[in-house]
Amino acid sequence: MYDAIVVGAGPAGLLAAVYLARFRRSVAVIDAGQSRVALIPRSHNYPGFGDGVSGLTVLDMLRAQLGHYAVDRLGAFVEGAERREDGFHLQTRTGALAARQLLLATGVTDIPPAMPHVREALEAGVLRYCPVCDAYEVIDKAVGVYADGEAGVGEALYLRHFSADITLFMAPGGQVLTQAQRRRLAEAGIRWNEAPVHAVRREGVRVAAVHEGGTAWCDTLYCALGVAVHSQIAQGLGATLDGTGYVQVDAHHATDVPGLYAAGDVSAGLNQIAVALGGAAIAASAMHRALPMGTPGTPIASR
Ligand SMILES: Cc1cc2nc3c(=O)[nH]c(=O)nc-3n(C[C@H](O)[C@H](O)[C@H](O)COP(=O)(O)OP(=O)(O)OC[C@H]3O[C@@H](n4cnc5c(N)ncnc54)[C@H](O)[C@@H]3O)c2cc1C
């Protein structure tokens, strides 16, 4: 029985585990190895790195920091969890683990466009998911937005602040734009093309949306098809989710299930590394305060 189990080892899970270890709590971190951070070619808004930093470097640095503490780390997918009188019991394919408290830092996954070599396109900056992260990098470029409904209209309007050359493309099966949406786009000087895009193709530093009417080239394409929120464990434990599937948390990052916390992208809020780190610090501090003081579960020795 650990004091705490952290599910997910992206920025939120790794930093929460550092905090908990430094609070002399026995901690296990279980991770399926699919952090969104690993997809970031270079982040320019991660604190302290004026010249930018790659997502893999961020992960390596946080993993190395956690390596200073005796935290159990398990590479596995948590298939489900049950809340019993003594705490949370988790199942993975390789076995079961239990803890008094549980932090979910399981993140989200972006829904990709139907195109080959998505990872390489992200790496080259011709495909992007997050205008908050990197719209600064596309100032005055030819920008496409690929979406299936209102989210695309919102994202195109957001990006119009950064470039005058914005075109909204629609995914197959997407919603037909309403008159009101067309008016909003036209007033902002945004083009739209409602012929469904049947292929997205990259050539070097450009990307093409191929639709019935022809092929449109852009410098970069923002995919606004949404995210899959990894909140199944929270849902199974009875925690409240919002309409998109994000886990609802209070100011301490506690859910409405006693002993269950959530931080990072999986919890409702801005999907950013700085926010994930802040949430992790708040959640870990609250978890520590909620556990009995003066009785560390298993002594944590500094390595
Ligand atoms: C292309 C791209 C560019 C971005 N650029 C920036 C940027 O410049 N600046 C910025 O601040 N943010 C950026 N982001 C967003 C940033 O990556 C996320 O906000 C951040 O990764 C959130 O961290 P997290 O710890 O919540 O989740 P993640 O980093 O996604 O980690 C979640 C972990 O939980 C694991 N997991 C999920 N379910 C389970 C389970 N059931 N059992 C075990 N493990 C599980 C996953 O495998 C994963 O390893 C970008 C994202 C993308 C995709």
Side-chain angles (χ1 to χ4, degrees):
M1 176 65 67
Y2 291 94
D3 287 327
I5 290 177
V6 177
V7 184
L14 289 167
L15 188 68
V18 167
Y19 269 67
L20 287 161
R22 292 179 53 77
F23 291 143
R24 305 190 69 210
R25 298 302 182 181
S26 59
V27 191
V29 179
I30 311 175
D31 183 48
Q34 298 295 319
S35 169
R36 265 183 111 201
V37 167
L39 298 175
I40 306 176
R42 202 155 192 87
S43 171
H44 292 272
N45 67 3
Y46 185 74
F49 289 83
D51 296 326
V53 60
S54 80
L56 286 174
T57 302
V58 169
L59 271 184
D60 282 348
M61 291 172 79
L62 288 167
R63 285 175 184 149
Q65 186 176 5
L66 184 58
H68 287 275
Y69 304 94
V71 167
D72 287 341
R73 289 164 72 174
L74 183 69
F77 183 80
V78 176
E79 291 170 345
E82 194 189 328
R83 185 164 169 263
R84 299 186 199 154
E85 215 161 278
D86 59 347
F88 296 90
H89 292 251
L90 277 60
Q91 302 92 43
T92 72
R93 253 184 218 164
T94 47
L97 287 92
R100 290 174 186 83
Q101 295 192 324
L102 180 59
L103 174 66
L104 300 176
T106 42
V108 305
T109 298
D110 302 86
I111 297 168
M115 75 180 283
H117 312 301
V118 164
R119 206 180 176 113
E120 289 78 359
L122 288 168
E123 180 68 35
V126 299
L127 177 67
R128 297 174 186 271
Y129 286 130
C130 171
V132 173
C133 305
D134 49 28
Y136 189 89
E137 272 65 52
V138 305
I139 288 175
D140 292 340
K141 294 197 171 176
V143 179
V145 175
Y146 180 68
D148 57 7
E150 171 61 27
V153 177
E155 193 143 318
L157 290 167
Y158 185 95
L159 282 158
R160 178 63 185 83
H161 181 73
F162 297 88
S163 172
D165 187 351
I166 308 282
T167 311
L168 174 62
F169 298 101
M170 301 309 281
Q175 168 204 317
V176 175
L177 293 175
T178 63
Q179 281 306 331
Q181 287 171 330
R182 291 194 186 117
R183 199 167 41 246
R184 280 158 68 206
L185 292 169
E187 280 168 9
I190 295 170
R191 291 182 298 275
W192 66 91
N193 192 324
E194 290 184 69
V197 170
H198 50 78
V200 177
R201 211 173 67 224
R202 173 191 165 205
E203 266 178 36
V205 294
R206 302 207 85 197
V207 61
V210 185
H211 51 83
E212 275 164 29
T215 300
W217 289 95
C218 310
D219 295 320
T220 199
L221 185 72
Y222 276 90
C223 180
L225 295 178
V227 293
V229 185
H230 302 304
S231 50
Q232 294 87 345
I233 301 171
Q235 190 176 25
L237 289 165
T240 300
L241 311 182
D242 73 10
T244 313
Y246 287 105
V247 183
Q248 298 275 31
V249 291
D250 67 12
H252 302 286
H253 278 262
T255 71
D256 50 5
V257 174
L260 179 66
Y261 296 75
D265 284 0
V266 75
S267 59
L270 189 65
N271 289 351
Q272 288 285 282
I273 306 170
V275 177
L277 295 174
I282 293 168
S285 302
M287 290 165 78
H288 170 57
R289 278 195 306 272
L291 285 162
M293 292 287 176
T295 54
T298 305
I300 299 289
S302 188
R303 275 186 181 146

